[in-house]
Amino acid sequence: MGNHPVLFGILLLLIILFFTLENKRSGKKIAPNALGILVNSQNAQIIDIRAKKKFETGYIQGSRNIPFTQLKDHLEEIRAIDVPVVIVCDMGIQAGAAVQLIGKPNVFRLDGGIGGWQAAGMPLVGGVTKKGKTVTGKAKSR
């Protein structure tokens, strides 16, 4: 580092550029705690792009399941939605690709996905326990 300050400076600049571009590429994020506010104040629509089996294990109340593999078939329908749209996946990464695919300014991805939602202590609904009972309250972390 001390022997090559110019190279170190260039490396630092490249790292900063990488993270800046990666943030823009993956779409605008919304924090789990802000999602309820957006839904209540602007009637935002939540689209969960996880596979149907994962969706059925628990989802955010009011969300609609359109698996990522079927997203292209629903693009025009999603683009026609006037209110904000929040895309949800497992960890927030695949949702970034979906936001880019949709290409609308009022489309967000849930920061951290379902994992971030649960880590924030937020509830999931619709999950089925091993005994076949439907879970409608707070999801338990493992």
Side-chain angles (χ1 to χ4, degrees):
M1 187 164 89
N3 294 334
H4 303 286
V6 174
L7 290 176
F8 184 71
I10 291 171
L11 177 63
L12 187 61
L13 178 65
L14 288 174
I15 291 171
I16 292 170
L17 281 173
F18 171 77
F19 284 110
T20 302
L21 291 174
E22 184 62 25
N23 250 355
K24 286 184 181 180
R25 185 179 71 84
S26 61
K28 295 183 279 185
K29 295 184 244 180
I30 185 164
N33 296 334
L35 179 59
I37 296 168
L38 188 65
V39 168
N40 291 333
S41 67
Q42 296 183 35
N43 200 28
Q45 302 292 306
I46 305 169
I47 298 176
D48 193 320
I49 60 170
R50 296 177 298 149
K52 186 175 180 171
K53 278 189 172 187
K54 283 192 175 185
F55 179 78
E56 290 172 348
T57 63
Y59 54 90
I60 299 170
Q61 184 174 354
S63 62
R64 175 179 169 200
N65 183 231
I66 301 175
F68 186 74
T69 56
Q70 299 172 13
L71 194 61
K72 286 186 179 180
D73 299 335
H74 296 272
L75 284 179
E76 292 308 314
E77 178 186 341
I78 295 169
R79 288 177 182 150
I81 298 172
D82 292 333
V83 296
V85 176
V86 179
I87 306 294
V88 178
C89 66
D90 284 318
M91 297 183 304
I93 298 168
Q94 197 173 35
V99 168
Q100 290 300 309
L101 188 63
I102 295 166
K104 261 182 76 167
N106 68 340
V107 177
F108 303 87
R109 67 183 173 101
L110 181 62
D111 191 20
I114 286 292
W117 178 262
Q118 288 180 291
M122 305 301 244
L124 293 179
V125 295
V128 178
T129 65
K130 289 181 183 178
K131 295 180 181 177
K133 295 181 181 177
T134 302
V135 177
T136 56
K138 214 172 199 181
K140 292 183 180 180
S141 57
R142 297 175 189 206

